[in-house]
């Protein structure tokens, strides 16, 4: 769609090896063997498969245990995607091109949407990564013991650890290209904009988790039932509020850092430090408490997340190992092919965080059956818009 080929996007597309003018239509399917390099279909398959399995698990959990939380996380993250991403792809179409230029371009993958702007795996990575982070924190019982806000902060921290492993590798392997001249991407943290490191890796999942647990999760934990329409409108609201939260949380950097890149970078980093300072002691303390089995409350377990988090980390480790020769041969931050490299030390720290979180959910007691204390319990929806009585505390009227 040539009329949507803004100059910056056209330049980024050429750097990635494809033509903006020839980039498909609403949907385009390519031969995976003909992509830029072999890592693209491997990444795509891993993320899309994980998202599909996460959705299946969420549906099964709803049907068997009456727990819609996983489903709300999945669709809430997807709603967030479709609110946030399209304006970034087509700023002119949304009337914001005077303020927002193209910030990045994805490479073309096996399945793409919106004239080469939106690969299928990007649609999938939002619900998959949100599910992994949210459920790790939930399995450690942080929401149950410390409440909605602290639990959400821990989700942001865990998501950051898992996501930055991917974020610092993508530019080198040509999964996407950042517009380094765009002031909204400043300051850069090697090959990754610091705003991405903070906002998209930590603050958006924190915002999403807060509203998921506030609007749905905590009520489900108490045995409350929701009808199908109630879950639909709650999920839509979560997507909207999660998007607003992502705009509100980085306000110190976006407001006070205007025209001052060093200050902007300091304020972004400060927010990430605060998230880290809150999350680390809480996660450690709660893991130790569960290891001592201090609580008689059944411990929630998500078998899919336990297994697929290992799969994700193994695939990312493989991709990083194969990228290391070019990484170490790089000169002035670029490989011999001219691709920017990420920060290996920061990636290793994130790998450490992610691995420890995954080990933690394997080393705490877990329930043998339905963790929700709903058997023989009758709850009534107090809102009056689908308030059937349920002995399971699950979805009613769906």
């Amino acid at each position: 769609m040539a009329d949507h080929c803004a100059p910056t996007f056209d330049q980024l597309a050429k750097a990635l090896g494809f033509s903006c003018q020839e980039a498909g239509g609403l949907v385009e399917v390519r031969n995976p063997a003909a992509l830029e390099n072999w890592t693209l279909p491997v990444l795509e398959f891993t993320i899309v498969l994980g998202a599909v399995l996460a959705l299946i698990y969420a549906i099964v959990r709803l049907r068997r245990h009456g727990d819609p939380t996983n489903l709300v996380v999945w669709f809430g993250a997807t709603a967030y995607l479709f609110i946030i991403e399209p304006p970034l792809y087509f700023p002119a179409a949304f009337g914001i091109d005077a303020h927002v230029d193209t910030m990045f371009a994805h490479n073309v993958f096996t399945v793409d949407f919106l004239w080469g702007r939106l690969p299928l795996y990007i649609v999938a990575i939002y619900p998959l990564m949100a599910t992994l982070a949210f459920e790790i924190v939930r399995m450690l019982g942080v929401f149950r013991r410390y409440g909605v806000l602290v639990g959400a902060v821990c989700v942001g921290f865990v998501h950051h650890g898992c996501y930055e492993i991917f974020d610092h590798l993508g530019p080198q392997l040509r999964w996407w290209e950042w517009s380094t001249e765009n002031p909204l991407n400043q300051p850069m943290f090697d090959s990754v904009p610091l705003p991405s490191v903070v906002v998209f890796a930590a603050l958006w999942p924190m915002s999403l988790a807060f509203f998921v647990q506030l609007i749905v999760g905590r009520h489900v934990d108490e045995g409350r039932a929701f009808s199908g329409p109630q879950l639909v409108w709650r999920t839509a609201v979560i997507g909207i509020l999660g998007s607003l939260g992502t705009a509100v949380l980085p306000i110190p950097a976006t407001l006070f850092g205007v025209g001052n890149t060093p200050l902007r970078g300091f304020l972004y980093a400060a927010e990430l430090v605060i998230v880290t300072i809150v999350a680390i002691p809480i996660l450690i303390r709660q893991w130790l408490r569960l290891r001592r089995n201090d609580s008689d409350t059944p411990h929630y377990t998500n078998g899919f997340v336990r297994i697929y988090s290992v799969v994700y980390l193994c695939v990312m480790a493989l991709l990083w190992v194969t990228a290391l020769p070019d990484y170490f041969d790089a000169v002035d931050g670029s490989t011999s092919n001219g691709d920017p490299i990420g920060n290996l030390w920061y990636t290793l720290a994130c790998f450490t965080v992610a691995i420890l979180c995954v080990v933690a959910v394997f080393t705490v007691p877990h329930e043998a059956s339905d963790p929700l204390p709903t058997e023989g319990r009758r709850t009534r929806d107090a809102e009056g818009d689908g308030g059937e009585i349920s002995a399971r505390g699950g979805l009613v009227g769906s």
Side-chain angles (χ1 to χ4, degrees):
M1 193 172 185
D3 56 332
H4 280 179
C5 283
T8 303
F9 182 82
D10 189 43
Q11 176 185 353
L12 296 174
K14 289 177 180 176
L16 289 169
F18 71 96
S19 168
C20 175
Q21 284 79 12
E22 298 174 2
L26 285 174
V27 182
E28 186 173 13
V29 179
R30 296 176 180 82
N31 178 0
L35 301 181
E36 176 69 26
N37 60 65
W38 67 270
T39 68
L40 276 71
V42 170
L43 173 72
E44 185 177 37
F45 178 79
T46 303
I47 299 301
V48 173
L49 175 63
V52 171
L53 292 177
L55 178 59
I56 292 172
Y57 183 93
I59 295 170
V60 170
R61 183 159 187 84
L62 173 61
R63 293 176 64 86
R64 291 185 180 176
H65 302 298
D67 178 8
T69 308
N70 299 86
L71 205 60
V72 172
V73 170
W74 203 98
F75 281 105
T78 306
Y80 174 91
L81 157 75
F82 286 109
I83 293 171
I84 291 293
E85 295 270 343
L88 299 179
Y89 299 146
F90 304 106
F94 285 86
I96 60 173
D97 53 317
H99 310 284
V100 178
D101 191 12
T102 301
M103 298 176 64
F104 58 87
H106 296 292
N107 210 331
V108 289
F109 283 74
T110 306
V111 181
D112 279 311
F113 304 104
L114 302 179
W115 295 273
R117 265 55 167 201
L118 180 61
L120 175 61
Y121 96 92
I122 290 295
V123 178
I125 202 169
Y126 276 78
L128 173 62
M129 298 297 286
T131 297
L132 295 182
F134 187 94
E135 291 294 275
I136 285 173
V137 172
R138 191 181 180 198
M139 279 188 275
L140 292 175
V142 176
F143 285 113
R144 184 176 63 246
R145 186 167 187 89
Y146 294 97
V148 175
L149 179 58
V150 172
V153 172
C154 290
V155 171
F157 175 75
V158 174
H159 187 283
H160 178 86
C162 295
Y163 187 84
E164 283 308 294
I165 296 168
F166 154 84
D167 207 18
H168 277 266
L169 183 59
Q172 179 183 336
L173 297 182
R174 298 195 176 185
W175 296 345
W176 63 82
E177 182 90 4
W178 288 102
S179 174
T180 56
E181 302 301 319
N182 191 321
L184 295 179
N185 287 337
Q186 298 299 321
M188 295 292 293
F189 178 26
D190 290 338
S191 66
V192 186
L194 188 60
S196 173
V197 171
V198 178
V199 177
F200 285 100
L203 298 186
W204 96 256
M206 173 180 163
S207 179
L208 178 77
F210 178 83
F211 289 111
V212 167
Q213 188 65 14
L214 180 71
I215 296 173
V216 173
R218 65 190 178 101
H219 300 296
V220 172
D221 292 341
E222 295 168 357
R224 182 177 175 184
F226 289 110
S227 69
Q230 288 173 326
L231 285 178
V232 169
W233 74 255
R234 277 175 169 78
T235 302
V237 168
I238 287 167
I240 295 170
L241 293 179
S243 304
L244 293 176
T246 306
V248 171
L249 289 173
I251 276 180
T254 55
L255 181 62
F256 299 108
V258 174
N260 189 331
T261 299
L263 177 61
R264 177 183 171 90
F266 173 81
L267 292 173
Y268 271 123
E271 290 199 63
L272 184 58
V273 168
I274 292 170
V275 169
T276 303
I277 290 174
V278 172
I280 288 179
I282 292 295
L283 291 170
I284 293 174
R285 189 179 307 156
Q286 185 61 12
W287 176 73
L288 292 173
R289 180 176 289 113
L290 293 180
R291 290 280 292 171
R292 293 192 302 266
N293 202 20
D294 283 355
S295 174
D296 293 330
T297 304
H299 302 306
Y300 166 78
T301 298
N302 184 319
F304 159 74
V305 166
R306 294 173 81 195
I307 295 171
Y308 212 81
S309 59
V310 175
V311 173
Y312 170 78
L313 290 177
C314 288
V315 171
M316 294 308 302
L318 171 65
L319 295 173
W320 259 106
V321 167
T322 61
L324 285 179
D326 287 338
Y327 180 95
F328 287 122
D329 288 341
V331 178
D332 295 329
S334 296
T335 67
S336 59
N337 293 324
D339 301 313
I341 59 173
N343 189 296
L344 180 59
W345 296 110
Y346 195 78
T347 301
L348 289 174
C350 290
F351 256 119
T352 302
V353 167
I355 290 170
L356 289 175
C357 288
V358 173
V359 169
V361 298
F362 273 98
T363 55
V364 296
H366 58 88
E367 91 282 357
S369 59
D370 186 355
L372 296 178
T374 55
E375 193 66 47
R377 186 184 196 177
R378 302 179 70 81
T379 60
R380 181 181 296 275
D381 186 339
E383 292 193 3
D385 55 342
E388 298 88 338
I389 297 175
S390 169
R392 295 284 296 167
L395 179 64
V396 182
S398 62

